[in-house]
Amino acid sequence: MTIHIGAKPGEIAETVLMPGDPLRAKWAAETFLTEARLINEVRGMLGYTGLWRGNRVTIHGSGMGMASLSIYANELIRDYGAKTLIRIGSCGAMQDHVAIRDVIIAMTATTLSTPSSGIFRELNFAPHADWSLLRAAVTAAEVRGVPTHVGGIYSADVFYDERPDLNDIMTRHGILGVEMEAAELYNLALRHKVRALAVLTVSDHLLTGAALPADQRQSSFGDMVEIALAAAFPES
Ligand code: HPA
């Protein structure tokens, strides 16, 4: 047990999928895993461990924002031995050629700051995904015929952004979408020599104002979970 995770030693798999929303962790575990078992519910942050095609997987919520994700990712890596962490979540599109429901696989994540900024100080560190996971995720998305974009994303500090000029700068520099967690996941994974990736579904569009209807959120989310699982276990 750690401060924020009630799982016993050995109850968390080396591969962890991390949606922001704990109820999505529950849904994904019940939908995609066999023998899924609840292993954490401290503060309502649900985590499940089960099997996907015979491989042990944990699906554990991260909460919203890098500060929350950092708590869970640190404990999963340092205390439970997680070796592969894949964020699955939603993002807002920042390019015209990216559409609602498309999948974005994040090669890098640009930020104003992260919980690691204090360590990096004057450095503009470039948090980046693990290449083997990224390559496997792209292959998995192609096999499934899911419209997918690979490139940089923006991990914002706030959802209600009072600086629309920042979004403009991101768009002008080819950033595909905005979310709030991936950069610190990448920082932590690089620091602790484990693998990380973010696979995101476009839920809203910052340039057009379009949004994914509530009744279509679950099915789009399913494509992303399958891509993440196939990326983690490319031989399965
Ligand atoms: N901003 C930040 N995070 C998000 C957004 C957004 O527009 N959409 C989905 N996650």
Side-chain angles (χ1 to χ4, degrees):
M1 270 175 58
T2 57
I3 296 175
H4 305 95
I5 302 178
K8 296 189 193 73
E11 282 189 329
I12 288 181
E14 286 195 355
T15 298
V16 184
L17 267 51
M18 301 189 78
D21 178 351
L23 289 178
R24 284 207 180 146
K26 179 178 195 299
W27 175 81
E30 288 171 352
T31 307
F32 293 98
L33 305 187
T34 54
E35 300 172 36
R37 209 166 59 78
L38 180 72
I39 49 85
N40 185 36
E41 53 182 336
V42 174
R43 290 176 182 247
M45 190 53 75
L46 305 176
Y48 294 80
T49 297
L51 298 174
W52 184 74
R53 299 186 182 170
N55 304 289
R56 235 168 137 246
V57 185
T58 294
I59 306 183
H60 194 290
S62 70
M64 290 180 281
M66 290 185 264
S68 176
L69 175 133
S70 159
I71 292 172
Y72 297 106
N74 262 295
E75 293 181 11
L76 288 165
I77 296 168
R78 290 159 25 146
D79 300 302
Y80 290 98
K83 299 278 184 251
T84 297
L85 297 94
I86 305 180
R87 161 159 162 71
I88 47 176
S90 59
C91 70
M94 303 187 105
Q95 299 294 328
D96 286 325
H97 70 277
V98 177
I100 299 292
R101 266 189 301 276
D102 286 1
V103 164
I104 292 177
I105 300 175
M107 205 153 66
T108 62
T110 295
T111 62
L112 277 186
S113 71
T114 69
S116 294
S117 297
I119 299 172
F120 292 128
R121 300 194 202 194
E122 64 271 50
L123 275 176
N124 288 312
F125 184 72
H128 56 274
D130 176 82
W131 166 240
S132 62
L133 278 180
L134 183 110
R135 180 165 54 179
V138 173
T139 302
E142 282 170 358
V143 165
R144 282 164 183 75
V146 178
T148 299
H149 310 267
V150 183
I153 61 162
Y154 172 36
S155 295
D157 287 334
V158 291
F159 188 89
Y160 296 104
D161 200 340
E162 299 285 344
R163 289 277 311 273
D165 57 311
L166 293 176
N167 291 342
D168 288 349
I169 294 170
M170 297 298 160
T171 298
R172 281 171 48 213
H173 289 79
I175 293 298
L176 297 169
V178 54
E179 51 84 82
M180 297 183 67
E181 292 83 14
E184 186 63 359
L185 178 64
Y186 289 3
N187 284 336
L188 290 170
L190 290 160
R191 187 175 312 145
H192 294 289
K193 299 186 170 46
V194 299
R195 305 192 305 161
L197 181 68
V199 181
L200 307 165
T201 300
V202 175
S203 62
D204 51 273
H205 207 298
L206 271 67
L207 305 181
T208 66
L212 189 61
D215 60 335
Q216 290 178 27
R217 280 175 188 256
Q218 210 84 303
S219 62
S220 299
F221 194 74
D223 286 338
M224 181 172 61
V225 179
E226 284 189 341
I227 291 168
L229 288 167
F233 305 107
E235 310 297 324
S236 296

